[in-house]
Amino acid sequence: MDALRFYGVRDIRFEEAPEPIIETDSEVKIKVKAVGICGSDIHRYALLGPYVSGTVWGHEFSGEVVAVGKNVTKVKVGQKVTACPALYCGKCDSCKKAKFAQCENLGVIGQHHQGAFAEYIVMEEENVVPVPENVSYDAAAMVEPSCVVAHGYYKVNLDPGDTVAVVGCGTIGLLAIQWAKIFGASKVIAIDIDDAKLELAKKLGADETINSRNKEPFEEVHKVNGGKGVDVAVESAGTPITSAQTFSLADKGGRVLFVGIPYGDVMVKRLYFEKIVRNELKVYGSWNAISAPFPGKEWTSTVHFIANGQLKMDPLITHRLPLSKGVEALEMTAERKVSFGKIMLHPEDK
């Protein structure tokens, strides 16, 4: 089958790979219809390289069930699905407490197990999530990044009426804006240095937008929020600078949620760090997108809100390409010479 295999930093190849087969009674074989390039994929491609050279990569996907093991009851052949890519060990202390996101051996497809940048993939039944027919394959492939946001909001107990600031309006940030409205936020403030992204944030529900280039974000937040910080500040840009700045955005007793991953040391100025102490902030790290019962309410909630139209995925997708163009697509992300949002690859397109 056709696949993208990851060999080294900026070395991914479109080539033949063995087609996976069902080996246990609890497995499901899926024909991949859409697979997205994750922000973490971009960093690993450009900076870190693969876990195992030559592995089939990719983890945000959707597809059609083409075969099932004899004990599978959740889905049937012909059904539209997505799947949770996380692989927990089930043996560590965290897993025994059903805290799967904190699994000491947590993995993801595309590391040591075949990923979804391919025509076919085989997953365990418990990882497979049914999707209604009115949800497109592209939208279904966006369920996993949406669950990353939902997982974080469930941790901070976002309440109706809360004010929220979202730092970074990439895919995760734009999903964080939409989820904040679903949770009942009274005001959502979007912060970025790209006016085009801020314009899209406005269309997707942001009440206020701030271009923070050459500005102190907390001063701008106070201007648009009645002289106060917000109840919940969300860091979704994943840069060292924004990771430090986000501490300053929360009001007294506020909550700070980190869903972005900075690939560099975070040096926190006294101006920002002091806010943690003086404002008695609660700081939350959020990792992955899973909870109990596995894969968690993040997945059922996301599918529900995509199906009813409250989560809009199409505006986040800027490129739709054949899987064969995956090499060029990843190189484009590494060069960062053009603007892009979510890049969706389609294995069936030639």
Side-chain angles (χ1 to χ4, degrees):
M1 67 174 180
D2 292 334
L4 291 176
R5 303 179 78 172
F6 192 19
Y7 288 91
V9 173
R10 296 180 81 158
D11 182 7
I12 192 166
R13 307 171 196 173
F14 179 69
E15 60 187 23
E16 282 290 310
E19 184 174 319
I21 60 173
I22 289 177
E23 296 180 344
T24 72
D25 294 338
S26 60
E27 289 181 333
V28 177
K29 184 174 181 178
I30 301 165
K31 183 175 179 62
V32 179
K33 297 286 190 174
V35 54
I37 296 177
C38 175
S40 65
D41 293 338
I42 295 170
H43 287 291
R44 186 156 288 281
Y45 173 75
L47 300 172
L48 303 175
Y51 288 87
V52 179
S53 181
T55 190
V56 176
W57 205 24
H59 63 272
E60 301 177 357
F61 76 99
S62 66
E64 178 186 345
V65 176
V66 294
V68 297
K70 68 178 183 180
N71 291 338
V72 171
T73 59
K74 184 195 290 187
V75 295
K76 59 185 180 180
V77 172
Q79 192 163 359
K80 182 181 293 186
V81 297
T82 184
C84 174
L87 306 171
Y88 66 94
C89 73
K91 299 176 182 178
C92 68
D93 289 343
S94 295
C95 285
K96 290 176 181 177
K97 298 173 185 175
K99 296 181 178 180
F100 300 122
Q102 298 173 24
C103 171
E104 295 171 16
N105 305 294
L106 189 66
V108 67
I109 58 173
Q111 288 181 336
H112 304 284
H113 298 77
Q114 186 209 303
F117 286 145
E119 292 184 274
Y120 296 94
I121 189 169
V122 169
M123 300 289 297
E124 280 290 328
E125 177 186 22
E126 71 168 347
N127 291 72
V128 179
V129 178
V131 175
E133 279 303 315
N134 71 314
V135 174
S136 70
Y137 282 113
D138 282 355
M142 295 284 287
V143 170
E144 193 273 346
S146 175
C147 291
V148 169
V149 175
H151 182 73
Y153 278 156
Y154 284 130
K155 290 177 75 71
V156 302
N157 297 314
L158 184 62
D159 294 320
D162 279 345
T163 54
V164 178
V166 176
V167 183
C169 294
T171 297
I172 296 297
L174 293 171
L175 288 166
I177 290 165
Q178 296 185 70
W179 267 113
K181 285 297 187 178
I182 289 171
F183 273 86
S186 61
K187 179 183 286 186
V188 179
I189 303 166
I191 304 169
D192 204 287
I193 58 174
D194 185 326
D195 285 332
K197 290 182 178 179
L198 290 170
E199 182 61 30
L200 181 54
K202 191 84 171 177
K203 292 178 181 177
L204 292 174
D207 300 288
E208 302 283 352
T209 59
I210 295 170
N211 188 318
S212 60
R213 188 182 294 276
N214 301 321
K215 297 176 182 177
E216 279 290 357
F218 82 91
E219 293 179 355
E220 301 303 311
V221 167
H222 278 239
K223 288 179 184 177
V224 300
N225 197 45
K228 300 174 61 178
V230 294
D231 297 307
V232 179
V234 182
E235 203 296 312
S236 58
T239 72
I241 293 173
T242 56
S243 295
Q245 290 174 333
T246 303
F247 290 120
S248 69
L249 305 182
D251 198 26
K252 299 284 187 180
R255 291 151 281 167
V256 181
L257 172 64
F258 287 90
V259 292
I261 306 171
Y263 287 84
D265 293 339
V266 179
M267 310 303 291
V268 185
K269 295 197 306 186
R270 176 175 175 268
L271 174 68
Y272 304 143
F273 189 84
E274 194 176 56
K275 300 292 185 181
I276 302 172
V277 178
R278 291 187 179 274
N279 286 352
E280 295 194 328
L281 303 181
K282 299 179 183 70
V283 180
Y284 296 84
S286 182
W287 180 243
N288 218 285
I290 52 177
S291 61
F294 184 86
K297 60 185 177 182
E298 298 90 337
W299 291 81
T300 51
S301 296
T302 288
V303 171
H304 169 77
F305 287 116
I306 293 176
N308 76 5
Q310 286 182 264
L311 277 174
K312 297 175 174 60
M313 299 301 182
D314 278 355
L316 281 60
I317 302 170
T318 57
H319 295 74
R320 291 176 168 88
L321 302 167
L323 184 67
S324 59
K325 298 295 184 182
V327 177
E328 293 94 324
L330 280 157
E331 190 59 24
M332 177 186 73
T333 68
E335 291 289 338
R336 293 191 177 275
K337 292 181 179 179
V338 298
S339 178
F340 60 89
K342 178 59 66 177
I343 300 170
M344 200 63 65
L345 303 176
H346 296 134
E348 287 186 324
D349 294 346
K350 304 298 180 184

